[in-house]
Amino acid sequence: MNNRLAALAIAIIAIIAFAAVASAGQTLMVTIKQVSIRADKQFYAKAVAEAKYQDKLEVVKQQGDWYQVTFNGVQGWVHNSSVGAATKGSSSTTVASAKPSDSEAALAGKGKAAPGASSGVASSKVSDEDVALAGKGFNAQVEGDYKKKNPNLNFAAVDSLEKISVSDKDATDFMQVGRFSPREVK
Amino acid sequence: MMKQMAKFGLSALAAMALVGCATGGMPADAVGVASKAWEKREAITKTATALRKGFSDLTPEEEYFIGRAVAARILTDYKPANDPAKTNYINLVGDYVAKNSKMPLTFKGYHFMLIASDEVNAFAAPGGFVFVTTGLYAKLASEEQLAAVLAHEVAHVSLKHGLSSIKAANLTQAFTILGTEAVKEYSKAQLGELTKAFENSINDIINNLVVNGYSRSQEYDADSEALNTAYRAGYNPKGLSEFLKTLSGAKSANNAGFFKTHPPASDRLKEADKLIASGKLQGVDNPNRQSRFNKFAMK
C-alpha cells in the first residue's frame, strides 16, 4: 500500500470510528472510583445503581453532558465526567472477532469473569487498550514508593481530608435552604 | 469530552489498523486465536502507550494520585485548621460549586479543607483537593464570596492548570516507562524510574502552585470560569468582584500568598466586572445564604 492509499484508508476508518463513538450502543467505561447511576439527569436524582471503576456501561442516548446507559439490566443516567469512551465500539472494531479467552481475562488482571455473554461481546469483553492503560502509570504502587522516599510527607492528613464527603441528603438540604435557581450560561 | 472522544477514537483507529495487519491469514483454531490475542495485545499496548503524549492524556486515576502527593506536600507545610463546623460548611458550598463546574466528578470527588495560616491564600491540587487558609476565610463577607473563591480553585482543577505545569520531559519519561506488558506490578527498575518521573511532576506542580503562581492568563481563565460556575449554580457572580475589591484594598506586609502568586486584585476586579456585564452574568444575593454564612463567619 502506498502512502496516499494508506492515508485514505486511515481517513475512512477514522470516520467510521468516530461515527461509532457517537452512536447509541456505544460502550463507556467508568473512569472514576465509583459513580451513582441516577434515575434522572441530575446529580442528586435518586441513585438506581452503583457502578465501579472500569465497569462497562451501554449507551442508550446522550443529552447534553449526560448519558443514559444500561448497567446490569438497570437503566439510568451518568455525567460525562465519570466515563470515557471504551475503545471497542459496537461494530467497527475488528477486535471483536477474538472472543475473550481465559488467558486474556487473566492477563487483564481483573480477576473477575466477564458478565453474562448475552449482553454481547462489546459490553462483556475487557478491551485491550483499557487494560493497557487502566491502573497503569502513576498508581498506588508508585505512591507507595514515593512515600518511602519522602517519609516526612503528611499523607495521613490527605487520608483524613478524603474522608470528608457530602451526602446527597446534606447537599439537597443545603440547596433548598440556599434558594438557588440554577441557570444556563448564555 | 470531545477531546477525550477524539483521543480514544484515534487509539481505536490505531488499534484497528494494527489488528487488521496482524490477523490476516491466521488459522482460526483455538491456539491460533489465543496467540493472536497475545500479539494483538502487545501491539495495542505499544500503540496506546505511544499515543499518550501530554498532560491531558493522564487518566482521572493518575490525576488523583498526583493530587494526593501535591496535597501531602501542602499539608506538610500547612496544618489543618481543625474546625469541623466551618470545614463542613466549606465542603457543602464547594461540592455544590464543583457540581456546576466543567468537571463535576473526579476520581474520588472534591474535598475542601480550611488550613491554619494568617497568609491570605487558597490552593487546589489536581483531582480536587482544595485548601483555603483561615487568613483568606477571615476576609470573606458572604457565601457568594466563599463560593467565588472555591469556584476559582475548582476552575484550576477543571481546567487542569496543575497538570499543565508538569514539564513535558517528565511526562514523556513516565509514558515511555509505561511499557508494553499488561501487568499491574512494575519491576523494581521500572518502579524506580516511574517514581522519579512522579516526583519531578509533583515538584513542577508545587513550583507553580505555591512558589511562582500560575500564569496570568490561567488566573484570568480561572476567574472567568468561576463567574460562569457561580452563575450556573445560582449564586450572584458579583461575589468574586466583591472579594477582589476587599483584596485590592488590603495590604500584604510581605507580598506573600495570593498577593505574590496572583495578578493584582484591582486588575482582576476590572476584568471580572467586564465579564459580568458582557456575559450578562448578573445574579441576586439571598438572605438565607447570608444568614447561614454569618453563623460560620470567622470571629
Side-chain angles (χ1 to χ4, degrees):
Chain A
M1 217 190 294
N2 67 33
N3 284 346
R4 280 173 64 188
L5 266 179
L8 181 66
I10 286 172
I12 290 167
I13 296 169
I15 290 163
I16 295 167
F18 282 114
V21 158
S23 69
Q26 172 201 355
T27 306
L28 294 174
M29 185 179 83
V30 176
T31 54
I32 64 174
K33 191 76 183 162
Q34 185 168 8
V35 64
S36 298
I37 297 176
R38 307 277 178 182
D40 204 353
K41 41 188 190 302
Q42 287 167 4
F43 282 110
Y44 306 107
K46 186 171 174 277
V48 292
E50 294 296 320
K52 289 195 165 52
Y53 188 36
Q54 294 176 24
D55 277 342
K56 299 294 169 73
L57 315 173
E58 285 290 310
V59 175
V60 178
K61 64 180 173 204
Q62 185 182 6
Q63 274 185 17
D65 292 338
W66 293 82
Y67 286 102
Q68 190 178 29
V69 295
T70 305
F71 175 64
N72 286 346
V74 179
Q75 215 169 75
W77 295 86
V78 289
H79 191 268
N80 67 17
S81 56
S82 59
V83 291
T87 50
K88 223 165 55 52
S90 51
S91 57
S92 57
T93 55
T94 47
V95 183
S97 63
K99 216 172 175 305
S101 63
D102 288 345
S103 60
E104 266 196 298
L107 259 176
K110 299 281 289 178
K112 69 175 182 190
S118 60
S119 56
V121 177
S123 61
S124 62
K125 186 174 172 288
V126 176
S127 109
D128 300 289
E129 194 193 348
D130 298 339
V131 174
L133 292 181
K136 297 213 77 176
F138 299 145
N139 60 13
Q141 202 191 352
V142 175
E143 181 184 293
D145 200 40
Y146 178 69
K147 270 184 192 166
K148 229 184 282 170
K149 288 180 179 141
N150 299 276
N152 60 319
L153 294 184
N154 195 354
F155 273 94
V158 182
D159 293 337
S160 309
L161 172 57
E162 266 190 36
K163 290 202 184 88
I164 303 173
S165 70
V166 176
S167 70
D168 280 10
K169 188 184 179 309
D170 288 349
T172 44
D173 289 351
F174 172 84
M175 284 160 62
Q176 208 167 8
V177 173
R179 302 276 167 88
F180 297 103
S181 17
R183 299 154 292 192
E184 292 290 322
V185 174
K186 287 180 246 347
Chain B
M1 190 64 189
M2 275 322 291
K3 205 168 162 194
Q4 203 178 3
M5 289 277 194
K7 190 178 79 205
F8 275 102
L10 269 178
S11 330
L13 159 66
M16 282 186 287
L18 274 169
V19 170
C21 296
T23 54
M26 288 285 285
D29 62 28
V31 178
V33 169
S35 75
K36 190 173 67 182
W38 175 270
E39 286 168 19
K40 191 179 67 200
R41 179 180 303 286
E42 291 280 291
I44 291 169
T45 309
K46 275 179 194 153
T47 311
T49 305
L51 278 172
R52 299 217 303 164
K53 291 202 187 316
F55 69 89
S56 59
D57 297 327
L58 289 163
T59 65
E61 184 186 15
E62 289 173 313
E63 186 172 350
Y64 161 77
F65 280 107
I66 290 170
R68 271 178 60 84
V70 171
R73 288 277 298 264
I74 292 171
L75 288 171
T76 304
D77 294 338
Y78 295 87
K79 297 287 159 250
N82 199 16
D83 186 333
K86 283 193 194 68
T87 300
N88 183 51
Y89 177 57
I90 290 173
N91 274 276
L92 285 166
V93 176
D95 193 69
Y96 179 60
V97 161
K99 289 286 191 297
N100 286 283
S101 75
K102 270 186 191 299
M103 191 162 73
L105 302 174
T106 63
F107 192 70
K108 280 203 186 174
Y110 286 85
H111 308 279
F112 301 83
M113 186 179 256
L114 194 58
I115 48 180
S117 166
D118 292 337
E119 190 182 304
V120 177
N121 216 344
F123 313 101
F129 301 91
V130 178
F131 304 92
V132 177
T133 63
T134 46
L136 185 151
Y137 194 94
K139 293 205 176 296
L140 297 168
S142 66
E143 186 171 304
E144 318 297 294
Q145 294 186 18
L146 171 61
V149 168
L150 298 180
H152 176 97
E153 294 309 317
V154 165
H156 280 311
V157 177
S158 69
L159 299 173
K160 299 187 188 285
H161 288 163
L163 298 180
S164 75
S165 337
I166 303 174
K167 290 196 181 82
N170 291 325
L171 277 185
T172 307
Q173 188 190 5
F175 291 153
T176 309
I177 304 157
L178 285 181
T180 55
E181 300 142 75
V183 290
K184 285 225 160 177
E185 297 272 304
Y186 297 113
S187 73
K188 207 175 162 194
Q190 284 175 320
L191 184 61
E193 284 185 70
L194 254 189
T195 305
K196 188 72 203 150
F198 183 71
E199 186 156 25
N200 290 341
S201 302
I202 306 306
N203 291 341
D204 290 343
I205 295 175
I206 288 285
N207 262 338
N208 267 6
L209 196 61
V210 182
V211 187
N212 303 323
Y214 290 126
S215 72
R216 290 176 67 90
S217 74
Q218 284 177 324
E219 291 302 343
Y220 284 115
D221 286 349
D223 278 348
S224 168
E225 184 49 27
L227 291 172
N228 286 336
T229 301
Y231 182 84
R232 275 194 293 267
Y235 277 112
N236 185 353
K238 263 284 183 197
L240 181 64
S241 308
E242 286 164 8
F243 182 65
L244 290 171
K245 217 173 283 172
T246 305
L247 282 190
S248 55
K251 286 254 182 291
S252 165
N254 50 357
N255 196 32
F258 236 59
F259 301 99
K260 182 183 161 208
T261 56
H262 286 68
S266 52
D267 293 357
R268 290 172 64 198
L269 171 62
K270 267 184 231 151
E271 193 58 29
D273 280 341
K274 226 190 288 172
L275 287 172
I276 290 172
S278 67
K280 299 192 170 47
L281 299 176
Q282 286 83 6
V284 285
D285 296 341
N286 178 281
N288 283 13
R289 301 200 287 265
Q290 190 60 51
S291 67
R292 76 178 162 197
F293 175 83
N294 293 343
K295 266 194 272 176
F296 299 109
M298 202 72 85
K299 296 289 180 294

